[in-house]
Amino acid sequence: MKIPDNHRALACAVAAARAAGKLMRGNLNRPKKINEASRHDIKLELDVRCQKQIERALRRGFPQIPILGEEGILGNPEAPIRWVVDPIDGTVNFSYGIPHACVSIALQKRMPEPELPSSKPSRPAPATPAFQSVVGVVYDPFTDELWTAIRGGPARLNGRSIHVSDRRKLSESIVALGFAKQRSTLNRMLPTFDALIHRVRKVRIMGSAALSLVYVASGRMDAYVEHGLRLWDIAAGGLIIESAGGEFQHEPVKGEYAYRIIASNGRLRRVLERLGNERKS
């Protein structure tokens, strides 16, 4: 499969995100059809419609690249290159008419397996190869804010370079948290909330992982912590944070494409990790 030019891929992803964002903006205050509802989540018919809109735009530009989306998969998601799409990140907000939701699109490339010394026995290949985001787009249609990044270049907000905050004290920081969708993730995050609430200036629970990530990238907030996020929630925003000078720590946890993350301006990483270790002890 031919690897696309990242700048052309970015332009294609921006067009796709704007098309889906137009659908979101036009339907914010209209009645919405619920396809599925659980205790802490809602799936809308418009989620599917937005993903189809994105798929058409991406396939026009790059018909051979698979698409791994929250609302379905086209092609082989373990191919050397893939799109990762969240058509509406913050669906519960959106379904209630709260204008804090976004479109998230990333282009990922599979990383080569590291070569092992010939003297050591070969390891079995991992079940899911490691991928790295090389293009990231997050679009908030309600503020008309577009965050973009190409790996190796700057992060941008509506074309202007952005950078993470330089705050070093937890007591002066705003930290975003999320609780995902399962009882297990709620139980894991409640001690984190308890550990942070009296040590930071403010805790924010805003309901869109991708927007929390790009808010950290923009210096509006200083860190974001959550357990149980899905890949499509974080693939674009994680790259944007790194491109803005921050740190994006993520590790797989139980569940398909599920991760635990600590994203920060880089200056708060040690104190956040220390709090995490205290909770485990």
Side-chain angles (χ1 to χ4, degrees), residues 118-173:
S118 57
S119 59
K120 293 185 178 180
S122 60
R123 297 177 303 171
T128 303
F131 283 82
Q132 183 183 67
S133 295
V134 294
V135 171
V137 172
V138 172
Y139 179 55
D140 181 343
F142 308 111
T143 60
D144 196 27
E145 290 185 309
L146 176 74
W147 288 266
T148 59
I150 293 175
R151 185 164 293 279
R156 299 184 185 278
L157 169 54
N158 289 347
R160 303 186 308 275
S161 294
I162 55 174
H163 201 273
V164 295
S165 72
D166 61 1
R167 285 180 281 272
R168 299 174 182 272
K169 295 180 179 179
L170 197 60
S171 60
E172 297 176 355
S173 299

Side-chain angles (χ1 to χ4, degrees), residues 226-228 249-253 258-262 279-280:
E226 187 160 355
H227 186 105
Q249 298 171 274
H250 59 294
E251 60 182 14
V253 296
Y259 292 83
R260 168 186 176 268
I261 72 160
I262 300 177
R279 287 187 288 111
K280 293 176 184 177

Side-chain angles (χ1 to χ4, degrees), residues 1 18 25 43 106 117 122 179 202 206 208 228 255 258 264 274 276:
M1 184 181 297
R18 287 192 180 279
R25 194 166 52 244
K43 297 290 187 184
S122 60
F179 289 85
K202 288 291 183 180
M206 301 181 74
S208 167
S264 74
R274 189 163 59 246

Side-chain angles (χ1 to χ4, degrees), residues 80-276:
I81 190 162
R82 66 189 183 189
W83 295 106
V84 180
V85 172
D86 193 341
I88 304 178
D89 184 62
T91 301
V92 174
N93 282 351
F94 178 75
S95 67
Y96 277 67
I98 300 170
H100 189 78
C102 67
V103 185
S104 174
I105 302 174
L107 182 68
Q108 291 196 322
K109 294 180 182 178
R110 186 168 58 187
M111 303 304 294
E113 282 291 303
E115 293 186 7
L116 296 173
S118 57
S119 59
K120 293 185 178 180
S122 60
R123 297 177 303 171
T128 303
F131 283 82
Q132 183 183 67
S133 295
V134 294
V135 171
V137 172
V138 172
Y139 179 55
D140 181 343
F142 308 111
T143 60
D144 196 27
E145 290 185 309
L146 176 74
W147 288 266
T148 59
I150 293 175
R151 185 164 293 279
R156 299 184 185 278
L157 169 54
N158 289 347
R160 303 186 308 275
S161 294
I162 55 174
H163 201 273
V164 295
S165 72
D166 61 1
R167 285 180 281 272
R168 299 174 182 272
K169 295 180 179 179
L170 197 60
S171 60
E172 297 176 355
S173 299
I174 294 179
V175 177
L177 297 180
F179 289 85
K181 304 168 185 177
Q182 308 300 324
R183 179 181 293 273
S184 60
T185 61
L186 295 173
N187 291 339
R188 284 181 178 272
M189 289 305 301
L190 283 170
T192 302
F193 176 85
D194 187 59
L196 284 171
I197 190 65
H198 297 295
R199 306 191 193 195
V200 300
R201 178 146 286 155
K202 288 291 183 180
V203 165
R204 292 288 181 247
I205 305 169
M206 301 181 74
S208 167
L211 285 178
S212 291
L213 287 167
V214 296
Y215 275 29
V216 175
S218 306
R220 296 173 180 175
M221 298 192 294
D222 306 292
Y224 171 43
V225 180
E226 187 160 355
H227 186 105
L229 287 165
R230 302 295 181 169
L231 177 63
W232 37 81
D233 300 318
I234 62 175
L239 170 62
I240 292 168
I241 278 189
E242 291 178 325
S243 300
E247 291 185 350
F248 176 60
Q249 298 171 274
H250 59 294
E251 60 182 14
V253 296
K254 184 178 179 181
E256 188 176 29
Y257 300 114
Y259 292 83
R260 168 186 176 268
I261 72 160
I262 300 177
S264 74
N265 62 8
R267 296 159 179 83
L268 299 174
R269 172 173 52 86
R270 290 183 179 178
V271 66
L272 291 171
E273 287 179 340
R274 189 163 59 246
L275 285 175

